[in-house]
Amino acid sequence: ENILDVIDLHYSYPDGTHALKGVNMEIKKGQTTAILGGNGAGKSTLFLNLNGILRPTSGRINFDRKPVDYSREGLNKLRQAIGIVFQDPDSQLFSASVYQDVSFGAMNMKLPEEEVRKRVDTAMKRTGIYHLKDKPTHNLSFGQKKRVAIAGILVMEPQVLVLDEPTAGLDPMGVSELMKLLQETQDELGLTIIISTHDIDIVPLYCDRVYVMDEGKIIMEGTPKQVFSEK
Ligand code: ADP
Ligand code: ADP
């Protein structure tokens, strides 16, 4: 069952840069999809369209088989349902402590205090940062900050977790630990995961489906086996 359908999506930035040129994708519920492509291929632009931060110039995105609702209320729901973890954790973290950073999204949802606390504890334990909860985020290592950013998205209980280059800047141990953590979270929550990556090695290990982008277009798609045997 598809959780996201991207249909002939075009996006041009205000300066005229045509960043997405007719992208079609089907994202299946509970799967991990990798988006490969060099710098400037359009991966980040695609992600920003997926959760409504950018609005398609033409074409369409269906979430749960319904066209995205671009009203304020619709967008609030969409941004909670499709959480994005950006490449640079510092862009997402700005509170005094890890606990506060992780709780931010849940607080914004105006959930009862008890529910916030429960979700924050669960997300911190899942991502292995519970012992850091009272530490100032800015003192943590890069890998730890990544986990704080992921926990901060998980507290919103998204259906889709989108990660922009999640393994960039991590050593090989860090990469496999992070990917395993994501896989466990997915298994437990039935989460759909979309990652962009340069790290081809992780794709056959952790991904069900691959799209390769170049200059705003999908140039290859399939299972990792299909895509890598075409090369
Ligand atoms: P990727 O994430 O694959 O590196 P991007 O989506 O960031 O690719 O970029 C796709 C294209 O859009 C590139 O040509 C890039 O220069 C351009 N682009 C990205 N952001 C902007 C922006 N804010 N304004 C104008 N052009 C942009
Ligand atoms: P440093 O490189 O300064 O040692 P790290 O964050 O890489 O900092 O490592 C600190 C601890 O946190 C390690 O024990 C490592 O297992 C864990 N860790 C940190 N970041 C990650 C990550 N992204 N994935 C898996 N484990 C991580």
Side-chain angles (χ1 to χ4, degrees), residues 15-33:
D15 71 356
T17 306
H18 194 176
L20 299 177
K21 303 172 183 166
V23 170
N24 290 287
M25 291 177 122
E26 289 183 27
I27 307 289
K28 300 247 183 298
K29 209 170 260 184
Q31 288 200 339
T32 298
T33 299

Side-chain angles (χ1 to χ4, degrees), residues 158-174:
Q159 289 169 261
V160 182
L161 184 63
V162 179
L163 302 109
D164 199 356
E165 294 281 351
T167 62
L170 298 179
D171 59 19
M173 260 306 267

